[in-house]
Structure formats: C-alpha cells, structure tokens
Amino acid sequence: MTLTRLQPPGLLEVPGLTQVILATGTCHVYISGQTPLTADGTLIGEGNLLAQATAVFTNLLTCLDAAGAQVADLARTTMYVVDYGPDALDAIYTAAFEVFGHDLPSATSTLVGVSALFHEGQRFEVDAIAVLD
C-alpha cells in the first residue's frame, strides 16, 4: 500500500481528514491550486462558495485522472477560502460529498481563511499532493 493512514489516540477525528499519513510510493503528484475557472478563464459561481467548491473538487478529480491517480491516492490537500464563516464548512463538505460521494478523500488537510485569491470573485481553491507506487 502506498499510503498508511494513522489516527493517533487523543486527536480529533474529522470526516475526510487523516491526522497522519505514511507515504511509501515512488511517484509523487503535485497538483497546483485548482480554481473555479473554466478552460477559457470564466469564473464559476461568483460569490457562491458551494458552486465554486464543487467546480474546484471536480477540477481536482480531472487532475488526478490525468496523472493516473485516484482520490484514495491523495496524501495532502490545502484548502483556501475567502470570508470564512459559519456556513463555509457546510458548503465545502456539501460540495465534497457531491463530487466524491460518501467516500471523501482521507488526506492530511489544512483549511486556511484568506482575504483574497487569484481571480476577483474567487472564494475557494485547493492544492494537493498524491502518492503512487
């Protein structure tokens, strides 16, 4: 197995998050920050975090597929959200369930609240690392 997921005793268990991953694969896949932009640069869902998160996670799947990887190969994700508030996490989880189903990526993950992202009106972005044998 390429990734061994560990949940150390005494640490918070969160759906879709693994506290520690041991990676033994020989191929690392580094995925740039995925944005809610179409191939022609059109922003999807301006101001709508759910629509943007859905687009971003869909783009992430496209990148994984291009590399011959799957969601299960994700070792690390970093999520960036503008105007993080009480509804943000709900929108992100709703989008993740919509795109990935109930088999959420179990990667080490960090969610960072930021003041702005690359494209005006963009509220969400994710970069990732996957490991393959």
Side-chain angles (χ1 to χ4, degrees):
M1 176 181 262
T2 301
L3 302 176
T4 302
R5 292 167 169 81
L6 304 174
Q7 178 63 41
L11 295 182
L12 178 66
E13 291 189 39
V14 179
L17 176 116
T18 297
Q19 294 289 354
V20 178
I21 291 181
L22 302 175
T24 57
T26 57
C27 177
H28 294 185
V29 180
Y30 298 91
I31 299 172
S32 289
Q34 294 304 297
T35 63
L37 299 175
T38 63
D40 69 1
T42 302
L43 179 67
I44 296 170
E46 183 167 351
N48 182 331
L49 181 57
L50 176 59
Q52 289 193 9
T54 300
V56 166
F57 290 139
T58 300
N59 289 346
L60 177 59
L61 280 180
T62 299
C63 291
L64 288 168
D65 185 57
Q70 301 175 5
V71 172
D73 299 317
L74 284 171
R76 176 87 181 137
T77 61
T78 305
M79 298 180 279
Y80 307 90
V81 63
V82 175
D83 298 327
Y84 182 82
D87 298 329
L89 198 55
D90 287 340
I92 292 167
Y93 267 108
T94 298
F97 282 122
E98 182 177 322
V99 174
F100 303 120
H102 288 285
D103 190 21
L104 291 178
S106 187
T108 60
S109 185
T110 298
L111 176 64
V112 181
V114 297
S115 61
L117 290 164
F118 172 73
H119 196 282
E120 187 171 337
Q122 179 183 345
R123 293 196 56 209
F124 192 65
E125 186 166 330
V126 175
D127 63 42
I129 300 171
V131 180
L132 305 172
D133 279 329

